[in-house]
Amino acid sequence: MDKPIGVIDSGVGGLTVASELMRQLPKEQLIYLGDTLRCPYGPRPKEEVIQYTWEMVDFLLKRDIKMLVVACNTATAYTLDQLRAELDIPVIGVIQPGARTAIKMSQNLRIGVIGTEGTINSKAYQKALKNINNKIRINDLACPRFVPMVEDGILTGEDAYHVVYETLKPLKDKNHIDTLILGCTHYPLLKDLIQDVMGTHVHIISSGEETAREVSTIMGYHKKLYNGERIPEHKFYTTGRLHVFDQIARNWLEQPDISAENVHIGQLSF
Ligand code: DGL
């Protein structure tokens, strides 16, 4: 089926999911929208995140997508159920796939979850993990400094390490988690630093891989996979600054010619 898959995030974080989609489904065409101008979503009230998410979804629906990937944990936590109820295309979020992978990896059933304030306060991971296995012990932690740092392109170096170290200290010191879920799609961009701070004995889980697998399964089931010979031309849109977006997209997706387009969505009142 020759229609694109829509991918949304509050900014560059969803690119970590897009890269897995490209790897696992190389024939599929993606349309990516990052609402960089209004990022971060994490500290915003639920109603605002719902409104902004719908504005992103409307933008992509006009481009005739065959499936929607909500590559943002905060938006998934607040909107997945209503998007699924109201849209007539399949909608995939990132929380369930991340929870499933963590359970698969953990040996001692002590799992850490880091995410935005919105995601952590929603308890969406707690629910998803406990639904699968209610013996699991969960320690969660909001990391509000990570997303602004990533959006500014600060992914390495001493200052970044210091922020990651100070933020994760409570999780590292007190608990014996063997698995840590990166419950925000921006965080895989800081994965090396997070692994350094937590130690090599902790499995770090990003939901991208499992999410892409789920997209593939569901599209196969709905007979929506593309199986022609077209070379996919992905499209990238951002509501914010092009420079940093392009730089991160080019590096992360290893495609030096990516050039996003700047768009306006909703009323952009914030
Ligand atoms: N990447 C997003 C997430 O997974 C959103 C981060 C934010 O905008 O605060 O939650």
Side-chain angles (χ1 to χ4, degrees):
M1 205 201 209
D2 194 9
K3 287 182 181 182
I5 299 173
V7 182
I8 54 171
D9 179 47
S10 63
V12 295
L15 294 170
T16 63
V17 178
S19 74
E20 268 303 316
L21 289 168
M22 289 176 188
R23 198 174 68 80
Q24 292 187 36
L25 295 165
K27 289 187 169 189
E28 295 296 333
Q29 204 149 270
L30 305 185
I31 299 193
Y32 183 96
L33 173 60
D35 192 8
T36 313
L37 190 62
R38 301 187 291 196
C39 189
Y41 279 14
R44 293 183 184 276
K46 181 175 177 178
E47 290 313 316
E48 204 164 59
V49 174
I50 293 174
Q51 182 199 326
Y52 292 176
T53 304
W54 272 107
E55 287 167 0
M56 287 198 283
V57 172
D58 286 342
F59 177 88
L60 291 186
L61 288 178
K62 290 195 188 105
R63 279 144 190 91
D64 203 18
I65 53 172
K66 63 180 172 184
M67 177 175 223
L68 175 68
V69 180
V70 185
C72 172
N73 290 264
T74 318
T76 298
Y78 290 154
T79 67
L80 187 69
D81 291 344
Q82 52 170 277
L83 290 171
R84 282 188 169 154
E86 292 184 38
L87 299 183
D88 55 9
I89 52 172
V91 183
I92 304 288
V94 279
I95 291 180
Q96 201 68 37
R100 264 202 313 266
T101 316
I103 287 187
K104 217 157 52 187
M105 299 305 290
S106 177
Q107 300 291 321
N108 68 3
L109 299 185
R110 287 172 175 243
I111 295 179
V113 181
I114 55 175
T116 67
E117 302 97 304
T119 301
I120 298 302
N121 292 338
S122 77
K123 300 278 171 215
Y125 272 100
Q126 302 255 1
K127 284 180 215 147
L129 289 163
K130 295 269 185 197
N131 271 347
I132 303 172
N133 182 345
N134 60 15
K135 293 205 178 76
I136 281 173
R137 292 168 68 177
I138 303 160
N139 285 101
D140 55 14
L141 179 72
C143 306
R145 295 178 71 188
F146 288 4
V147 170
M149 201 161 80
V150 170
E151 287 288 330
D152 282 337
I154 303 167
L155 309 178
T156 54
E158 248 175 66
D159 290 351
Y161 181 84
H162 185 72
V163 170
V164 173
Y165 178 81
E166 285 302 321
T167 306
L168 296 183
K169 218 162 170 271
L171 208 54
K172 187 179 157 63
D173 286 351
K174 277 195 238 105
N175 311 294
H176 301 283
I177 57 169
D178 71 349
T179 304
L180 177 66
I181 301 178
L182 305 185
C184 169
T185 53
H186 280 71
Y187 298 176
L189 288 143
L190 300 172
K191 187 175 173 190
D192 291 348
L193 293 179
I194 293 171
Q195 185 82 70
D196 271 3
V197 169
M198 294 306 294
T200 46
H201 60 289
V202 176
H203 298 292
I204 307 286
I205 307 293
S206 342
S207 47
E209 203 177 309
E210 189 80 5
T211 302
R213 200 167 304 133
E214 187 164 322
V215 168
S216 170
T217 308
I218 295 202
M219 283 211 306
Y221 176 78
H222 288 280
K223 302 202 172 14
K224 284 179 179 236
L225 284 167
Y226 177 75
N227 55 14
E229 294 309 320
R230 173 209 62 199
I231 297 180
E233 275 180 37
H234 309 297
K235 287 211 165 63
F236 297 89
Y237 297 99
T238 170
T239 57
R241 287 175 299 163
L242 286 174
H243 177 65
V244 180
F245 186 97
D246 282 347
Q247 204 179 4
I248 294 178
R250 286 171 191 164
N251 285 343
W252 192 260
L253 304 174
E254 293 173 1
Q255 295 190 15
D257 51 353
I258 287 178
S259 201
E261 213 177 289
N262 199 241
V263 288
H264 297 285
I265 57 168
Q267 294 149 19
L268 290 181
S269 53
F270 52 98

